Amino acid sequence: MSKKGIQSVRGFSDILPEESPLWQHAESVIRRVLEAYGYREIRLPVLERTELFSRSIGEVTDIVEKEMYTFEDRNGDSVTLRPEGTAGCVRAGIQSGLLHNAEPRLWYAGPMFRHERPQKGRLRQFHQVGAEVFGVSAPELDAEMIIMTARMLRELGLADVRLQLNTLGTPESRAAHREELVAYLRRHEDRLDEDARRRLETNPLRIFDSKNPEVQQVMADAPRLMDCLDRESAEHFAVVRNLLERAGVEYEVNPALVRGLDYYTRTVFEWVTDRLGAQGTVCAGGRFDGLVEQLGGRPTPAVGFALGLERLVALLEDQGAPGDGGAPHAYLVVATETGAGLEAAEALRDALPGLRLQAHTGGGGFKAQLKRADRSGARVALILGDEEQAAGALTIKDLRGEEGQQQLAFDDAVAYLRGLTGA
Ligand code: ATP
Ligand code: MG
């Protein structure tokens, strides 16, 4: 063991107290917007049977081929730490009967696990908020979900994110496209990397998702699925585009956008930014009409998205998002008998929900307590001495500004503190 103590596992990081306020802010805005569209929370297990993911995400995807945390549990069953939330959400929906004769709107949040190369915006444990709607095949839903993600990003104050849109048609249009694509790729096989060559046989559409610049160049001129669309998928896409335009949501069509998971049909979208280097996708989703049936449920259309919280928070930080780091508003210095300190603190919390108050514990001199108050990051120190106690008052000392100190009757002190909490 190193002198520094036991270190965390590579790619698994802590979210420290000074970072959590920004996370909480992001989570609460997202949650409020989801609720405004009638979504309800579902909480799902972190561990699932391995076959749930291999059957849904696709055997020939980065995730299933090389990124899953898969192991045998003590009974010898193969289990996997969830790499994403959709599969588990569909599984739970089928298992609970929630999807039948209903159009549930569900959201979830929590950690996901992928054994990738850790770098900025790419961790092995990362966090997503995701949402899925089942039972609706109309293109209005695709549009509404995208409009909702636009509202989320807007209400979070995110600048510099662009919406990319594509359609993947149906399995039938994909089959027609596949032939053309394979013929094209065979002509350029010398410029493909090993991964792409292998996928040429198994899942050529995946090659559009390659992160290799040379391969991306080849794909830039490859036949587009967009040109092989069946009539209904083309109409579906046209309606989605029209509705986005009517809602004033700007987008660019990116025919090379295929997403990293196999279950998508028709609409796919990503919100991307140039501010996070190569890890530019903040939020991504689309329609997956075949997945419920594929996992053993009745045929049920669906649309969903997932948003990466690490990348979202990094963007907010990059923009210099305001935040006080969650420090207490006030630190109570107790220069009288200790019991009176706890009493006064409880009375303050009763009077002012939302007040972040840290009361000094453990005695010690007045000066030492004031030093602690300062180090806590609090805006003000509240001083309770014998005199204040006798008068039912508190002395308030401004630790950050020019206001100096003043003794106020309890109710006036509460009014003063209310101003600090912004309530
Ligand atoms: P990428 O192309 O960046 O690998 P992906 O297509 O694998 O992303 P999805 O499976 O669509 O990602 O996940 C949705 C979102 O979750 C991503 O847009 C991203 O914001 C976030 N995300 C995915 N993988 C990671 C990771 N390893 N670390 C942090 N965030 C991630
Ligand atoms: Mg990935």
Side-chain angles (χ1 to χ4, degrees):
M1 206 209 302
S2 85
K3 281 225 184 76
K4 289 192 225 142
I6 298 172
Q7 303 288 295
S8 65
V9 174
R10 184 164 137 83
F12 288 63
S13 62
D14 305 306
I15 297 162
L16 296 172
E18 60 263 31
E19 303 166 80
S20 11
L22 204 47
W23 282 74
Q24 289 165 352
H25 169 69
E27 286 160 357
S28 77
V29 171
I30 292 166
R31 181 192 176 131
R32 192 182 65 219
V33 173
L34 285 162
E35 285 172 352
Y37 286 78
Y39 287 73
R40 294 160 73 202
E41 186 183 11
I42 181 165
R43 299 195 182 198
L44 302 160
V46 167
L47 199 68
E48 298 273 4
R49 291 173 195 278
T50 300
E51 63 167 329
L52 175 67
F53 302 114
S54 45
R55 274 174 54 187
S56 57
I57 296 169
E59 298 274 4
V60 188
T61 55
D62 281 348
I63 296 178
V64 173
E65 279 183 339
K66 54 192 184 200
E67 295 176 357
M68 293 206 303
Y69 279 89
T70 297
F71 56 95
E72 283 187 5
D73 71 5
R74 287 175 189 277
N75 302 326
D77 297 327
S78 181
V79 290
T80 295
L81 288 175
R82 62 181 183 192
E84 56 103 56
T86 301
C89 190
V90 170
R91 194 247 338 115
I94 297 170
Q95 189 174 337
S96 65
L98 207 61
L99 307 187
H100 297 149
N101 311 315
E103 295 171 6
R105 296 179 158 227
L106 308 173
W107 70 272
Y108 59 83
M112 307 293 161
F113 305 86
R114 298 183 194 176
H115 199 276
E116 306 196 64
R117 193 168 68 76
Q119 50 199 295
K120 190 182 174 222
R122 195 173 290 286
L123 287 111
R124 291 182 173 173
Q125 172 175 311
F126 61 100
H127 298 79
Q128 289 184 337
V129 177
E132 332 280 359
V133 177
F134 297 92
V136 179
S137 54
E140 280 102 309
L141 176 64
D142 313 42
E144 190 204 48
M145 187 171 280
I146 295 170
I147 291 166
M148 177 175 75
T149 58
R151 179 182 292 278
M152 270 175 197
L153 301 178
R154 193 167 66 238
E155 295 198 3
L156 283 161
L158 277 202
D160 297 334
V161 282
R162 294 173 283 118
L163 174 63
Q164 302 212 327
L165 196 64
N166 192 23
T167 175
L168 300 180
T170 58
E172 293 73 42
S173 42
R174 294 242 272 273
H177 171 250
R178 183 184 166 126
E179 278 180 42
E180 277 185 44
L181 181 61
V182 169
Y184 169 87
L185 289 171
R186 289 227 188 281
R187 291 201 296 280
H188 297 88
E189 217 168 330
D190 52 319
R191 293 172 65 201
L192 299 181
D193 61 12
E194 197 190 318
D195 251 12
R197 274 190 213 136
R198 196 164 36 81
R199 285 175 178 181
L200 182 51
E201 311 295 337
T202 48
N203 192 349
L205 194 64
R206 283 263 62 78
I207 305 175
F208 277 108
D209 202 37
S210 169
K211 306 269 192 290
N212 177 339
E214 171 81 10
V215 176
Q216 280 175 355
Q217 256 183 26
V218 176
M219 298 317 283
D221 297 318
R224 299 289 161 81
L225 218 166
M226 189 84 75
D227 302 321
C228 304
L229 280 191
D230 55 288
R231 196 176 52 83
E232 274 157 30
S233 292
E235 271 167 21
H236 188 98
F237 194 50
V239 175
V240 173
R241 293 180 58 166
N242 180 255
L243 291 171
L244 291 179
E245 280 151 29
R246 285 178 61 168
V249 175
E250 285 178 30
Y251 63 86
E252 47 196 89
V253 173
N254 174 2
L257 181 71
V258 294
R259 310 281 303 104
L261 308 92
D262 273 352
Y263 50 62
Y264 287 104
T265 53
R266 295 195 169 156
T267 317
V268 289
F269 67 94
E270 289 193 358
W271 286 95
V272 297
T273 176
D274 299 323
R275 286 198 183 208
L276 297 176
Q279 277 56 251
T281 304
V282 179
C283 171
R287 181 169 276 283
F288 46 98
D289 289 343
L291 184 59
V292 176
E293 189 177 15
Q294 202 176 311
L295 288 177
R298 297 181 203 159
T300 307
V303 184
F305 78 88
L307 183 151
L309 283 168
E310 276 77 6
R311 294 183 194 178
L312 181 75
V313 168
L315 265 185
L316 290 172
E317 265 166 5
D318 190 51
Q319 283 180 205
D324 56 9
H329 299 114
Y331 189 105
L332 180 65
V333 170
V334 188
T336 178
E337 51 107 11
T338 354
L342 284 188
E343 260 169 35
E346 289 305 311
L348 283 166
R349 294 188 185 105
D350 285 343
L352 197 49
L355 175 69
R356 297 199 297 263
L357 174 66
Q358 184 175 346
H360 184 79
T361 48
F366 181 70
K367 268 213 168 129
Q369 289 195 37
L370 265 187
K371 220 181 219 166
R372 294 252 178 123
D374 189 45
R375 255 190 273 146
S376 76
R379 264 299 297 278
V380 299
L382 305 175
I383 300 160
L384 180 67
D386 295 337
E387 191 191 320
E388 286 85 355
Q389 202 185 318
L394 285 167
T395 294
I396 296 186
K397 181 177 166 61
D398 186 3
L399 296 172
R400 313 288 157 203
E402 308 286 305
E403 286 184 32
Q405 74 180 52
Q406 53 184 323
Q407 187 172 318
L408 294 177
F410 184 84
D411 289 345
D412 296 335
V414 168
Y416 178 100
L417 292 169
R418 180 171 291 122
L420 290 188
T421 64

